[in-house]
Amino acid sequence: MKNITLITILALSFFTSCKEEKKQAEVPKQEMEISDSLKWSERMALSEIKRFPDPTLLDFRDKPKWSYTPGLVLQAMSKVYEQINNQKIYDYIYEYPDKMIEKNGTIKTYKMSNYNLDMIKAGDIMYYVYNKTQEPRFKKVIDTLHKQLEGQPTTSEGGFWHKKIYPYQMWLDGLYMAEPFHAKYAKDYMSPVEANKVYDKIVLQFDLIEKYSRDSETGLYYHGWDESREQKWANKETGLSENFWSRGMGWYGMALVDVLDYLPENHQGRARIIKYLNQYAEAIVKYQDKSGTWFQVLNLPEREGNYLEATGTSMFTYTLAKGVNKGYLPNTYLENANKAFQGSLDLFITVEDNGVVNLNKCCGVAGLGGDPYRDGTFEYYIGEIIRSNDPKGTGPFIMAALELNK
């Protein structure tokens, strides 16, 4: 009797198990919202739209703000749109200026009197939508941002302060924030004589960075330079900050390749910019990790706490790839760019079940001075927040993927 009961229990268990397995097998897989058959550039663009349905809230904001980060991501998306003509992407790009610009051309949350170079970057997307729509309010914004540059405070030699609240300071970041926009404005809206004066001023910004921020031994660039030597982060003899920060150098590299899009072929400073770019490329590949990526503090890979970081890596990848594609750099650097992109896929990229792409290991923010005070030490740079999908990484990732046709 006991044997019969045991057989019955085992039989029921077997049939129940089969039913459960069949039931589990019948559960449909989550539908892919973003297809893995698309190129990485489009996949990341669509992932950003999925993550931040409102473009004014890019960069994890809880309320809209005129800022460089939406400008960076939306400019990257505009390049994707020009390739694939996906209306969803264009509508997303347009929504940012449409919401942030009043009918009279006033920019919400922006104050010219702050003289903050970071605020210029979003002007690049204004060019794009103005050329598409010819809406007068967008042209007013472009004029307003150029007017800021005309009044931007400078060092004794004419180098733009990064912000009015950071007097006598030039940061690597500022070259990318302002100079491609500056050159584009001169090219499109100024007389040849006046435009040439602006080009001279633009090249001067790069000349000063090369003069003060480049380390002759490593070829790397210090994040900030304080002409006054008053900041606690500044070396009392050189005025330089202490470390070679990956993203700081990333900003500068992108500035070099992007400003060349608008600097005339016959301008006397163009050859110098290309020379600077070649020196820059030679330096950064020396510090490229075997994974293809780069460390947060570039020259201290063995130091405890340092980590391979996604935003700087994406910027270096873009700079090298575009530099080769434009003919500014030798073709050999394309191998470094491809290795870097693959390294990013291996170490930083994860894909959710619905196809949404994440870029992980991004330094969320880093700067110098301010309140609370940022002292530029190694401990400071490795101690800032690390997060996924920071726009300072996703934007350059998209642009790098486009340059590499991936």
Side-chain angles (χ1 to χ4, degrees), residues 376-394:
T377 59
F378 174 85
E379 290 74 20
Y380 164 70
Y381 284 114
I382 66 162
E384 280 287 20
I385 186 174
I386 301 170
R387 63 186 180 184
S388 299
N389 304 316
D390 190 284
K392 299 179 284 295
T394 55

Side-chain angles (χ1 to χ4, degrees), residues 14-27:
F14 173 78
F15 287 119
T16 302
S17 176
C18 287
K19 284 181 180 179
E20 285 179 353
E21 285 180 15
K22 187 176 181 183
K23 186 177 180 182
Q24 286 175 0
E26 289 173 353
V27 174

Side-chain angles (χ1 to χ4, degrees), residues 32-40 43 351-352 354-355 357:
M32 293 279 282
E33 294 184 50
I34 300 172
S35 172
D36 58 8
S37 66
L38 302 174
K39 290 182 178 179
W40 285 108
R43 291 170 74 181
V351 182
E352 296 176 22
N354 62 357
V357 178

Side-chain angles (χ1 to χ4, degrees), residues 8 24 28 36 41 76 91 143 162 170 247 253 273 280 289 297 306 313 328 332 342 396:
T8 304
Q24 286 175 0
D36 58 8
S41 53
D91 291 344
D143 291 337
H162 191 63
M170 293 186 73
R247 187 162 71 235
I273 300 293
Y280 173 98
D289 183 66
V297 180
N306 206 359
T313 293
Y328 310 138
T332 52
Q342 187 58 51

